[in-house]
Amino acid sequence: MKNPKIEITETKVLSDNWYTLRKVTYNYLKNDGQWETQSREAYDRGNGAAILLYNKNTKTILLTRQFRLPTYLNGNETGMMVEVCAGLLDEDNPEECIRRETEEETGYKISAVEKLFEVYMSPGSVTEILYFFTAEYTKEMKVNEGGGAPDEHENIEVLEYDFDTAFNMIKSGEIKDAKTIMLLQHAKINDFIR
């Protein structure tokens, strides 16, 4: 991190419970040549990966549904979210992570994955980079029931929708998850499920 316009002067850990929340104080060189001291909080939850699983023959996709406490606290009456399969990298590289998460969450052991792009999902407050993938699935790839890793208490429900139904769930408000919307729109723009 070598930006000559930034001088970090103090980093203070505010919480290290589930993930790490830090308060960072820094000097910022403005365009007018004046230095300004600023403080921001940054939440470090690690990096992650997300994947859109699709079947070209049946024109279907696999999604998941699970309870998300932050959405419940911010107006989602049930707290349930429909999402693409995703997870934190932990010690894995993004491709290893998404293969592991796909099997844990959906029960499918996928073969070839294609990396699409990587994105800072909430750059004003969260350090996370999310790696986006896509992969084809077939019924023959199903190796277990999915539902998430037992020790993570995720209680994930696996859903299969035809692509058009899933895409229309954005407009109806049934899908409100950014990573899912981004992957569905990418699929629609690039017409790779039809």
Side-chain angles (χ1 to χ4, degrees):
M1 298 189 320
K2 295 292 181 198
N3 183 339
K5 293 181 138 191
I6 304 293
E7 296 174 348
I8 295 177
T9 59
E10 181 182 18
T11 300
K12 185 178 188 180
V13 175
L14 301 179
S15 175
D16 196 13
N17 185 15
W18 188 253
Y19 302 114
T20 305
L21 177 63
R22 293 179 179 92
K23 180 177 181 180
V24 179
T25 303
Y26 58 96
N27 295 321
Y28 180 80
L29 182 60
K30 300 187 307 180
N31 290 338
D32 66 6
Q34 299 294 311
W35 285 94
E36 179 177 78
T37 300
Q38 299 181 3
S39 289
R40 298 288 187 270
E41 292 178 4
Y43 192 54
D44 185 351
R45 59 183 302 277
N47 294 327
I51 191 165
L52 180 65
L53 300 164
Y54 67 95
N55 184 315
K56 275 190 176 180
N57 294 329
T58 60
K59 299 188 179 18
T60 55
I61 62 169
L62 291 179
L63 297 174
T64 64
R65 180 181 302 140
Q66 65 180 304
F67 178 74
R68 297 296 200 179
L69 177 66
T71 73
Y72 184 71
L73 297 174
N74 194 25
N76 180 358
E77 291 182 8
T78 65
M80 301 303 286
M81 293 289 287
V82 175
E83 306 174 32
V84 291
C85 174
L88 293 177
L89 300 188
D90 298 324
E91 299 298 316
D92 292 335
N93 70 46
E95 188 173 313
E96 289 169 346
C97 165
I98 206 57
R99 287 176 189 280
R100 178 191 75 239
E101 290 293 332
T102 297
E103 190 170 336
E104 285 177 6
E105 291 188 6
T106 70
Y108 285 80
K109 188 174 184 110
I110 54 175
S111 50
V113 299
E114 178 186 351
K115 182 181 174 193
L116 301 174
F117 43 83
E118 51 192 74
V119 175
Y120 287 100
M121 292 298 289
S122 189
S125 59
V126 181
T127 61
E128 177 188 39
I129 294 175
L130 193 61
Y131 299 86
F132 286 77
F133 293 90
T134 189
E136 288 191 60
Y137 76 93
T138 64
K139 295 203 181 301
E140 294 75 32
M141 294 176 180
K142 189 164 178 70
V143 295
N144 63 59
E145 293 305 308
D151 62 325
E152 295 178 9
H153 311 286
E154 295 174 300
N155 301 307
I156 294 171
E157 180 184 357
V158 181
L159 309 168
E160 186 173 43
Y161 292 106
D162 70 79
F163 179 78
D164 290 333
T165 298
F167 192 81
N168 289 330
M169 289 169 70
I170 299 169
K171 186 173 184 177
S172 71
E174 295 169 82
I175 293 179
K176 292 185 177 183
D177 175 65
K179 64 187 176 296
T180 304
I181 293 170
M182 291 167 72
L183 281 167
L184 290 172
Q185 289 178 334
H186 180 83
K188 183 88 163 176
I189 291 166
N190 292 284
D191 203 30
F192 65 78
I193 296 179
R194 298 198 184 275

